[in-house]
Amino acid sequence: MLDWIFSAQWPLWPSIVSFAIAAGIVAWLGIKMGRLAQVLARRTGMGEALTGALLLGLSTSIPGVVAVVTAGVNDQPEVAVSTGLGGIIAQTSFLVIADLLYKRHNLEYDATTPDNMATGMVLISMLMLVVVALVSPEISVFGIHPATIALPLAYLGGLHVVNRIRKAPGWLAVHKDEHDAEQPTDPERIPPPEEAHGEDATYTHLGNGALAARFAVVAAVVALCGWVLARSGMSIGAEFGLADSLVGSLLIGQATSLPELLTAVAAVRIGAPVLAIGDIVGGNMFDVLFVAIGDVAYPEGSIYHAVSDQSAFLAAMGVLATTMLLLGLLRRQKRGFLHVGFEGTAIFLVYIGGYVALFFW
């Protein structure tokens, strides 16, 4: 009766229902997994370490990783690449929603810190590595492009630089209100996990082993949902004749990015704008690695040369949206229309305009 689960293409309505259910589970369990990861990182002393950053990044990226691998193995390179790149555009646009909900000032006014700026610049560098690989002559060693090796090295090196800037910033943003003396913004305004995501009392009775086991179980369920999102998304796209780049970026990329949206909303609600932007941009850095993961999973050689120019277009959209965000952090507009700064409007226009262009490509 359910032979369609293992068929090459799923029927339309089972695909739509499966996609919606999987997206909802990813949004719900993605936040729960993020809480577990933060508690584990704090208890084991990983909070300030590179391993902690990797654990937190992975916790909200598992569905995307599984979706990319599924698309690559099923000979859908465009879907694999666009899932990662489309997730970056989606998550950056989520900051517009966070800005609307943050009523104190424009979000970027209170979120400008040296490490947030540095993270954005590392993200742009990684995206440009992808663009260079996409437009350069085809080169591969054992079916893997050199950029697939360079991207994780750039990610780890970027985390090291950001961490050093966080510990010893060369400058600080200051508030300059007409009624207040100049005071630096607090770069350490990143609340503990129990403040950002709810009370830690839920986990106080659990040991580290039990927490790790619970994290593994939740991660396995989220990974399964990532597989469902990839299979159902590709089937929906085939039924409606959508381009693979739209399937990956607009359907699968958006759905696998829902935990980041909820994290950003939770951060601004407890008055942590630095955390909201840091989580989004830092998560985007991890999402660039999806392209490298897709290259390893793709069996036909370099994935960078198995995709169309639409993938380079998506990467350029990511660079443009991140550049707008950095300009907003530098400008630090205190008040904007509906509490959204000019960079939020620009990011929204990039998002809408980019997908309109892809739809009519």
Side-chain angles (χ1 to χ4, degrees), residues 248-269:
S249 61
L250 195 56
L251 289 181
I252 304 174
Q254 304 275 342
T256 56
S257 298
L258 288 175
E260 299 289 351
L261 170 61
L262 299 180
T263 299
V265 170
V268 296
R269 281 185 172 177

Side-chain angles (χ1 to χ4, degrees), residues 68-265:
V68 167
V69 171
T70 302
V73 170
N74 284 274
D75 197 21
Q76 297 283 339
E78 194 89 54
V79 175
V81 173
S82 61
T83 293
L85 298 178
I88 293 169
I89 302 163
Q91 288 165 193
T92 306
S93 67
F94 290 161
L95 288 173
V96 180
I97 299 174
D99 207 352
L100 283 168
L101 297 174
Y102 185 67
K103 299 301 184 182
R104 182 180 177 187
H105 303 122
N106 285 352
L107 185 65
E108 73 279 5
Y109 181 79
D110 287 335
T112 299
T113 62
D115 45 313
N116 268 348
M117 298 287 294
T119 304
M121 296 177 74
V122 173
L123 171 59
I124 289 174
S125 300
M126 293 178 67
L127 283 168
M128 290 309 300
L129 271 175
V130 173
V131 172
V132 169
L134 289 170
V135 301
S136 64
E138 182 173 356
I139 303 172
S140 61
V141 180
F142 301 111
I144 296 176
H145 194 280
T148 295
I149 307 298
L151 282 172
L153 293 177
Y155 176 73
L156 294 175
L159 284 180
H160 175 70
V161 171
V162 170
N163 192 45
R164 294 195 64 175
I165 291 174
R166 180 183 294 114
K167 290 181 177 179
W171 58 273
L172 291 174
V174 297
H175 290 299
K176 295 186 68 174
D177 294 339
E178 60 272 17
H179 302 297
D180 301 320
E182 291 188 6
Q183 294 186 358
T185 57
D186 184 3
E188 299 301 324
R189 179 58 181 124
I190 299 181
E194 60 270 22
E195 182 183 346
H197 298 289
E199 290 300 324
D200 194 24
T202 307
Y203 307 112
T204 52
H205 66 288
L206 297 176
N208 289 352
L211 277 175
R214 183 172 294 193
F215 179 87
V217 171
V218 174
V221 175
V222 171
L224 176 62
C225 289
W227 177 80
V228 172
L229 286 171
R231 292 301 307 273
S232 58
M234 288 187 289
S235 298
I236 292 170
E239 286 286 345
F240 285 101
L242 298 176
D244 286 346
S245 58
L246 282 174
V247 173
S249 61
L250 195 56
L251 289 181
I252 304 174
Q254 304 275 342
T256 56
S257 298
L258 288 175
E260 299 289 351
L261 170 61
L262 299 180
T263 299
V265 170

